[in-house]
Amino acid sequence: MHKYQGRGTRDIWSRMPAEERVETFKKWLLQPENIETLVMLDDLDGLADPELILSAIPLGAKTQDGELYNRDVLREIAKAVHGHPLAASHAIKYIIRVISQEPVDSPAETFLSILEDPNHETRASFLEYKPRAPSIMDTFYVSRNRLPNPKGLAWTLMQFLSILEANASIVPTTEISSTKDNV
């Protein structure tokens, strides 16, 4: 903005409260010379407050994959990766950088169908995806190698757990509570 020209904007920006930064950003976007500006927001989650994050995205803003700003879609993705932070981070990057480049109607739905596919090779493309970080499979093998005995009982248990269904909705709650009482 004009009042900041010639001044150390980085320093000014870093001293502003988050709410003021959001409002300044919106004002900047509304200036005629910035109407057609492409803005890429990274680390928007650094604002911490979900309402502030939503207010930072201007109304009518277009996204590369608009469905990723739909809370229900994000919840489905989080559920599909069982809330695992690394998998969730990789999932969003995979959807944007890989699936969105394909001619599909819904990249998020395509991703979810990949995870539900019984063929492990279909899921492997996501599990081996490395978006400037180790893949999920890389971290899995690092975890395995950290075991005191990488071929022992802990490894056998990890293999067994990986094939169990984690969806609690398929097990009636009466069975869970009666099992818990017997333990």
Side-chain angles (χ1 to χ4, degrees):
M1 301 199 35
H2 299 294
K3 70 180 184 178
Y4 299 115
Q5 286 182 338
R7 297 176 56 199
T9 53
R10 178 180 224 154
D11 191 44
I12 293 168
W13 185 259
S14 66
R15 291 183 191 175
M16 276 185 198
E19 293 84 2
E20 187 178 345
R21 278 189 245 163
V22 168
E23 288 308 311
T24 302
F25 173 68
K26 285 178 166 181
K27 286 177 189 172
W28 178 84
L29 274 179
L30 291 174
Q31 293 182 359
E33 66 270 18
N34 299 325
I35 295 292
E36 296 297 319
T37 301
L38 169 66
V39 177
M40 298 187 79
L41 301 173
D42 188 20
D43 295 331
L44 192 60
D45 58 335
L47 293 175
D49 177 11
E51 293 304 315
L52 191 56
I53 291 170
L54 290 174
S55 73
I57 302 170
L59 290 175
K62 295 179 179 141
T63 64
Q64 182 175 358
D65 186 352
E67 67 183 352
L68 292 181
Y69 287 98
N70 177 315
R71 292 176 196 264
D72 293 331
V73 171
L74 290 173
R75 281 189 187 107
E76 284 299 312
I77 294 168
K79 184 179 173 184
V81 298
H82 303 284
H84 189 278
L86 176 67
S89 172
H90 280 31
I92 299 301
K93 292 172 185 167
Y94 187 80
I95 292 167
I96 291 171
R97 297 178 186 166
V98 178
I99 299 174
S100 291
Q101 307 308 312
E102 300 294 324
V104 296
D105 291 333
S106 170
E109 287 298 322
T110 301
F111 174 75
L112 293 170
S113 68
I114 288 170
L115 290 188
E116 292 170 358
D117 193 308
N119 182 348
H120 74 280
E121 290 183 16
T122 303
R123 295 186 309 274
S125 63
F126 166 65
L127 296 172
E128 293 171 357
Y129 176 66
K130 297 179 184 188
R132 287 193 184 160
S135 71
I136 294 170
M137 288 308 298
D138 289 342
T139 59
F140 180 78
Y141 289 123
V142 166
S143 296
R144 177 187 180 191
N145 290 335
R146 287 183 179 166
L147 293 172
N149 180 359
K151 294 183 180 179
L153 287 175
W155 175 243
T156 303
L157 180 61
M158 284 175 66
Q159 289 176 309
F160 176 71
L161 291 174
S162 70
I163 62 171
L164 290 179
E165 175 60 53
N167 185 348
S169 67
I170 65 167
V171 179
T173 54
T174 55
E175 287 182 34
I176 293 173
S177 60
S178 66
T179 305
K180 188 168 67 173
D181 294 340
N182 295 329
V183 175

